[in-house]
Amino acid sequence: MKKITIGICSIGSGVGQSVVDSCKFFREKVSLIGLGNNPLAYGAFDCDKYAIIPSYYDDQYIIEIEKIIKKHEIQILIPGHDDEALLLAKNHEKLTNIGVKVLSSPYELVLICRHKSTYAENFHEAANYFVKTYKAIDIKDEFFPLIAKPEQGFASKGIEIITTRDDLEKIEFEPGYIYQEIAVPRGQDPSYNAFIKQLRKGNNLQVSEISLQLLFDRNSDLVEHCATYNTLKGGVPIEIQPYTTTELSGFIKAITSSLKRLKAFGPINIQGRITDHGFKAFEINPRFTGITGLRAKLGFNEVEFCIFTLIYSIKIKKLKLSNKYLGIRQVASKKVLQSRVISIKKEDSVQKNILLTGSTGMIGSYLLKQLSDQGHSVSRLYTQEKELIDNKKGYSITDLKSGKINLSNFDTIVHLGFARPNSTDSEIHSSIVNSFELATQAAQSAVDQFIFISSQSVYGFTSNGKFTEDCKTNPQNNYARAKVTVEDHIKSITKLSNETRFTVLRLASVIAPFDSNLSHEAYSSMIVSLLKNKTITLSTPNRLISKIDFHDAVDAIDHFTNYSSSSVYEVVNIAPNKNFSLLETMKTVAQELGKTEDMILTESIENEEPNNLVISAEKAEQQYDWKSKTSLNKTAKYFKKHLGY
């Protein structure tokens, strides 16, 4: 399934972040575009891309967001603020016409939810469950205490407690205020005594509330719901615990009838409190909430359900809020690279602190020099102790495992060091263990970029066609299975932390004239045989396998090391622009080396069973502006020069 592109509005808000947190559970299925007007918005750096848009109070908001939708091909738009939700709902038809689905109820319902004073009137089926609302002129002394709050307020802002006539006179001339009875917690509520004590002092102690989340389908039928008991601080839920909806069943039945009549769609959040007179509701918000992400962690991922089941009619696992856990919201922090901040001008070349594994190998040694020549500070991590002893510079894998390396000092980790295809099972297993440790610590240390060099062998073989990054893996040997295992581990890490951007480069088989490569790479050893005027025999002359020149491999890794990707997890094939059969390859090489084609023997071409491994490099070129530069002729010349023929 192709990724669904989701635009998350007000990305710096609690609701926007909560939606992002919910998406972490199905991150591989979606591409997230953060939308907001703050370049340092916390949630922006958890998204694949971030776009600056005007404030929703700006006259150009809809015009600009239409441009962003078209540019990034956004398929679903999720509002993150009440005022924004109203504006998007009002322009629903215009946005739908450009191909985006706005996750919102109709404008009329969204507008009704803004006017708290008319809840009983507009949701008349559930009128008895709402706190009573009064006009200032109708308030009698026996009604005190009352709560005064802005008619279209949110997040418990601007709330006042009215206990006397004098208090009322101070507020009554303020425009846009409404006056409601206070939903006092019932006597057995843990917060009751503290609430009453503060109420007598004229304070509104926001200690607890019930949050009821309802989800409606296209027919405005209630399809899922859950409730939590929330402990508040400054009006913001900081602790939530699952709450049975048994006591709320009467209200749910009544409000569902109202919301079906008003054509509700998607999430509807209702806040209220259990009083001595039953449940009393005092606020309705037709959107996700700041605890949406926390509910997802407890098993009720309403964002996933709305996207896949309500919009695309794809069944997912049933939503069930686990009663075994509590949810806690307190503080969080994030480290981001300055170059990722949109408003800061990017330099053409940014020096990085890089940690490189595999620096003593065929590709690693050249990559080390190339990156160092560019001005980067490159440190080496050796996976074998003997390498460190010989070189006396860098870190050992033991240093990593014992916590002696502060990975937070590095901007990028390039993990190239790995066992070879012909290595022992023990060596391959060690590579898996070391890779797990390095990738996990990188995420824990919030390293900005981690590049893992994988292999095209993870795809297996086919009789025709090319493998793209979206194809399923089908490893055929322990080496390929090890690469897939590490890839899967990295992918799982991104579900827990989004601060490190992981890039997996699936490298085609490398042709190079080095001793370390000649022992296991057939094409390289055949080229050397031709140089030595030896006859070679091709048992599968028509076989197609992607082969890449050593120089191109180094260039590709260098390119992605210097590239500032915005994706949390990305897989990219690294391969030549054109693929040749084994016979075509050797004929081209022989001609370049001045050898005769009669040195190339073939066996039973007619009976040959195709067993190809060709990968597509279109993504690397189209999305990342990289493509191979070295032709087969250049490869042959390099072999001749390097080996002294």
Side-chain angles (χ1 to χ4, degrees), residues 28-277:
E28 69 281 0
K29 299 178 182 178
V30 293
S31 177
L32 303 183
I33 311 296
L35 306 173
N37 53 23
N38 177 10
L40 289 175
Y42 187 94
F45 301 95
D46 286 336
C47 295
D48 296 297
K49 294 179 182 177
Y50 180 45
I52 295 290
I53 58 174
S55 163
Y56 31 81
Y57 301 119
D58 192 302
D59 291 340
Q60 298 297 306
Y61 175 83
I62 291 297
I63 294 174
E64 292 302 317
I65 205 166
E66 283 181 316
K67 293 178 182 177
I68 295 298
I69 289 169
K70 292 175 182 177
K71 177 181 178 181
H72 294 286
E73 298 180 336
I74 293 173
Q75 297 162 272
I76 297 175
L77 202 59
I78 300 178
H81 187 278
D82 292 316
D83 292 338
E84 190 171 41
L86 185 66
L87 184 59
L88 293 175
K90 187 176 183 179
N91 289 273
H92 184 274
E93 185 176 353
K94 182 183 291 187
L95 295 170
T96 300
N97 288 339
I98 62 172
V100 69
K101 297 175 175 65
V102 181
L103 188 48
S104 168
S105 287
Y107 173 71
E108 292 74 16
L109 174 55
V110 178
L111 186 61
I112 287 172
C113 291
R114 301 293 301 274
H115 296 285
K116 302 179 180 69
S117 62
T118 59
Y119 278 177
E121 176 185 344
N122 289 307
F123 303 104
H124 57 80
E125 293 91 341
N128 293 333
Y129 291 96
F130 292 104
V131 292
K132 293 178 181 178
T133 301
Y134 306 96
K135 294 179 180 179
I137 195 172
D138 297 328
I139 295 175
K140 300 177 181 180
D141 289 348
E142 58 264 31
F143 292 172
F144 296 129
L146 295 172
I147 188 168
K149 59 185 178 181
E151 163 75 355
Q152 297 191 34
F154 57 91
S156 303
K157 294 183 178 180
I159 288 178
E160 299 285 347
I161 296 297
I162 309 297
T163 59
T164 66
R165 237 347 120 173
D166 290 338
D167 293 339
L168 179 61
E169 290 176 359
K170 293 176 184 177
I171 298 291
E172 88 178 284
F173 298 111
E174 292 286 336
Y177 266 79
I178 62 171
Y179 307 91
Q180 292 181 332
E181 69 170 316
I182 296 175
V184 178
R186 62 182 171 186
Q188 67 254 46
D189 190 290
S191 64
Y192 175 79
N193 291 330
F195 187 92
I196 294 298
K197 183 178 180 180
Q198 290 300 316
L199 190 60
R200 288 169 179 161
K201 296 179 180 180
N203 298 325
N204 178 40
L205 187 62
Q206 298 173 45
V207 288
S208 65
E209 67 181 18
I210 298 295
S211 177
L212 176 64
Q213 194 73 358
L214 310 175
L215 301 179
F216 291 84
D217 65 14
R218 288 290 185 191
N219 298 318
S220 298
D221 290 325
L222 179 65
V223 286
E224 292 285 357
H225 71 278
C226 73
T228 57
Y229 176 91
N230 302 341
T231 301
L232 309 178
K233 184 175 183 180
V236 177
I238 59 169
E239 298 170 8
I240 75 169
Q241 65 182 82
Y243 192 86
T244 179
T245 57
T246 304
E247 288 183 279
L248 308 175
S249 59
F251 171 73
I252 293 174
K253 182 178 180 181
I255 197 66
T256 296
S257 179
S258 295
L259 291 167
K260 183 173 179 62
R261 171 173 52 82
L262 295 167
K263 296 180 171 48
F265 173 69
I268 302 287
N269 179 255
I270 300 172
Q271 297 169 37
R273 192 171 282 137
I274 301 293
T275 73
D276 286 333
H277 304 288

Side-chain angles (χ1 to χ4, degrees), residues 276-291:
D276 286 333
H277 304 288
F279 179 71
K280 289 293 180 178
F282 44 74
E283 189 165 334
I284 302 178
N285 295 305
R287 55 165 170 75
F288 294 121
T289 75
I291 61 171

Side-chain angles (χ1 to χ4, degrees), residues 544-561:
L544 285 167
I545 297 184
S546 291
K547 294 287 180 177
I548 192 169
D549 185 89
F550 158 77
H551 297 89
D552 282 339
V554 174
D555 180 68
I557 301 170
D558 173 271
H559 178 86
F560 280 87
T561 302

